[in-house]
Amino acid sequence: MCLTLESLGFLLETDVQTDCTGTFRYIALENDHIISENPITKKLEVNNLQVYEWESLSLKHLKGIFHGEPLAVLQEE
């Protein structure tokens, strides 16, 4: 998947935010989830801030985001 934070932010009609140091960029989602870019691989990841874990952004995640479904990131299905 060849998405950047900027292109995904454009599609979601939201801004890419940064932390207080300006080094960590992310897109805030509902509840305690964000989308960020892995600094080493440059791939997008969905981060669950409740459990401090992440997984690579997939088409399944994108479909859920665009359809307004709650994210089931790192949860048993």
Side-chain angles (χ1 to χ4, degrees):
M1 188 180 318
C2 190
L3 275 177
T4 64
L5 276 178
E6 289 78 18
S7 60
L8 184 57
F10 178 78
L11 290 172
L12 294 174
E13 298 179 347
T14 189
D15 294 325
V16 175
Q17 302 174 13
T18 58
D19 65 354
C20 61
T21 65
T23 57
F24 182 75
R25 299 173 38 224
Y26 62 94
I27 295 173
L29 301 175
E30 92 280 338
N31 301 30
D32 292 319
H33 293 87
I34 61 171
I35 297 175
S36 64
E37 184 179 77
N38 182 305
I40 297 170
T41 64
K42 302 299 181 193
K43 293 184 179 180
L44 298 182
E45 300 175 337
V46 180
N47 300 270
N48 182 335
L49 301 178
Q50 291 179 335
V51 293
Y52 298 104
E53 293 185 7
W54 60 92
E55 59 188 46
S56 295
L57 183 68
S58 68
L59 290 176
K60 179 181 174 184
H61 294 126
L62 289 176
K63 179 182 173 188
I65 291 167
F66 284 110
H67 286 99
E69 298 169 359
L71 286 174
V73 176
L74 306 164
Q75 297 175 2
E76 296 295 323
E77 295 181 1

